[in-house]
Amino acid sequence: MNIAIIGAGATGSLFGSYLSHAGYNVIITNSSETKTNVIADKGIKVLSPSGEEILHTFLYEALPVSKLGSSEKFKNCQYYIFCVKSFSTASAAESIYKFVKPDSIVVTLQNGAGNIENLSAFFKLDNIAAGTTTEGATLLEPGIVIHGGKGKTTIGMVGNNKEKSQLEPLITAFEKAGFNTSYTDDPKKIIWEKLAINAAINPITAILKASNGIIVENEYLKNLVKIITEEVCLTASASAPAGSDNIKLDPDETYNKVLEVAKNTKANKSSMLQDILAGKKTEIENISGFISKTAEDNGISAKGNHALFLLVKALENKTI
């Protein structure tokens, strides 16, 4: 089975390497030709948090977006897994959609909100799957990724004609590769659940320039996490369109889930922290910014999330 990974960052490299090691034909693409050349020549190394090499795999093909048209392998994938930053979803989808067969499934495993909407501009909803993963991954350099902690991956079809069978081969592949994976009939709910985790862990660790473990080591941060998760749960419920079922998240369960993820990935540097340290644009607009804006649009307050949004933007702009 051919599986395409869109984006050669931390998550894309992690999933690509394990899937390749499990025997699947993995094709990875990225906007940077330099990055794909490194992966094509040297493969991907996965390291433990202590720096020991866990595995070293060579993928079926690694190529830049500019050369997709010449790859028959890329055009014959059953699944296309988006692992790019949320702000790059639309441009990445525009780059690949003309090479994707009508019966292939496009999957988002990205952080933040709005990815389904961006993908639906290029692909039919019945061919889109949405998922989340709490696998900890830190990219040291192209082709070298630290697996900072085991997590859980959940995916489900988005459209009205949901068929679990469409994703069973991919779930089997993930399981064979070592990822704890399950199917959901309500992917939008799990996206909100992951959004709550991202909203609590990513901005705090980026602002403090600390690994995920700081969340569970500091009582003041636990109190802040409780405020953030309560706002997310309230906003999720208010965000449902008229006539549809509310997205119900339990504040206590959500809070405890954040602490569990932070503990299980305590050595991991969040993607937002990695971006700040590298001087790159973060996904804060699609996480804290999205939550505070959605809350405002629905007449409720999410000032904690808005404050984190402003602080991360200040770090991005190097004004402090």
Side-chain angles (χ1 to χ4, degrees):
M1 182 169 67
N2 290 4
I3 301 172
I5 305 288
I6 316 303
T11 300
S13 296
L14 185 75
F15 273 78
S17 60
Y18 276 101
L19 286 166
S20 178
H21 183 70
Y24 294 94
N25 297 328
V26 177
I27 299 97
I28 196 165
T29 185
N30 198 79
S31 59
S32 168
E33 185 168 356
T34 300
K35 185 174 286 188
T36 54
N37 283 345
V38 169
I39 293 173
D41 292 340
K42 300 181 179 180
I44 297 177
K45 290 182 181 181
V46 179
L47 309 180
S48 70
S50 62
E52 297 177 3
E53 186 174 309
I54 298 173
L55 60 86
H56 183 189
T57 58
F58 285 84
L59 307 190
Y60 196 46
E61 191 170 55
L63 69 167
V65 169
S66 60
K67 296 182 179 179
L68 292 182
S70 62
S71 173
E72 292 303 316
K73 297 172 184 176
F74 187 83
K75 297 174 185 177
N76 285 284
C77 289
Q78 188 171 348
Y79 298 100
Y80 294 80
I81 305 173
F82 275 71
C83 297
V84 297
K85 299 291 186 182
S86 293
F87 53 76
S88 297
T89 302
S91 59
E94 185 175 15
S95 298
I96 77 159
Y97 82 95
K98 53 185 170 292
F99 305 119
V100 177
K101 295 184 297 183
D103 60 343
S104 296
I105 304 298
V106 175
V107 183
T108 167
L109 281 182
Q110 300 159 274
N111 290 333
N115 295 303
I116 293 173
E117 291 77 7
N118 283 324
L119 290 174
S120 67
F122 300 92
F123 306 100
K124 294 179 180 179
L125 274 178
D126 285 340
N127 291 94
I128 297 175
T132 63
T133 184
T134 55
E135 296 286 338
T138 301
L139 190 70
L140 289 183
E141 59 184 78
I144 301 180
V145 60
I146 295 175
H147 195 179
K150 297 291 291 182
K152 183 176 181 181
T153 301
T154 309
I155 51 176
M157 296 302 298
V158 171
N160 293 324
N161 300 319
K162 298 178 181 179
E163 291 289 344
K164 182 180 178 180
S165 60
Q166 293 175 281
L167 285 176
E168 285 177 342
L170 184 62
I171 292 173
T172 298
F174 281 177
E175 289 281 353
K176 185 178 177 181
F179 299 114
N180 180 10
T181 309
S182 60
Y183 181 84
T184 178
D185 285 320
D186 193 358
K188 291 185 178 180
K189 180 180 179 181
I190 66 165
I191 287 174
W192 271 99
E193 291 173 343
K194 178 65 183 297
L195 191 59
I197 294 170
N198 290 149
I201 294 177
N202 290 20
I204 293 173
T205 56
I207 292 164
L208 296 178
K209 294 184 172 62
S211 298
N212 292 359
I214 197 172
I215 300 292
V216 292
E217 297 165 358
N218 188 299
E219 292 300 320
Y220 294 101
L221 294 181
K222 288 182 181 179
N223 288 336
L224 179 55
V225 166
K226 185 171 284 289
I227 292 170
I228 297 304
T229 51
E230 286 176 350
E231 290 181 353
V232 174
C233 293
L234 185 62
T235 304
S237 179
S239 69
S244 62
D245 293 334
N246 285 347
I247 298 172
K248 297 179 181 179
L249 303 182
D250 181 86
D252 291 333
E253 289 181 5
T254 304
Y255 168 73
N256 289 328
K257 182 63 177 178
V258 170
L259 298 187
E260 178 188 351
V261 171
K263 180 180 179 181
N264 290 343
T265 61
K266 62 183 179 180
N268 190 60
K269 292 180 180 178
S270 71
S271 58
M272 194 170 291
L273 171 58
Q274 294 177 56
D275 289 336
I276 288 295
L277 293 176
K280 296 180 179 178
K281 178 180 172 64
T282 74
E283 295 176 291
I284 195 67
E285 281 94 348
N286 298 88
I287 301 175
S288 305
F290 174 84
I291 293 164
S292 59
K293 178 65 166 58
T294 302
E296 181 183 356
D297 290 345
N298 287 278
I300 58 179
S301 175
K303 291 183 178 179
N305 281 275
H306 188 60
L308 292 180
F309 166 75
L310 295 175
L311 286 167
V312 173
K313 291 304 294 183
L315 285 175
E316 276 189 356
N317 294 328
K318 300 182 180 2
T319 57
I320 59 174

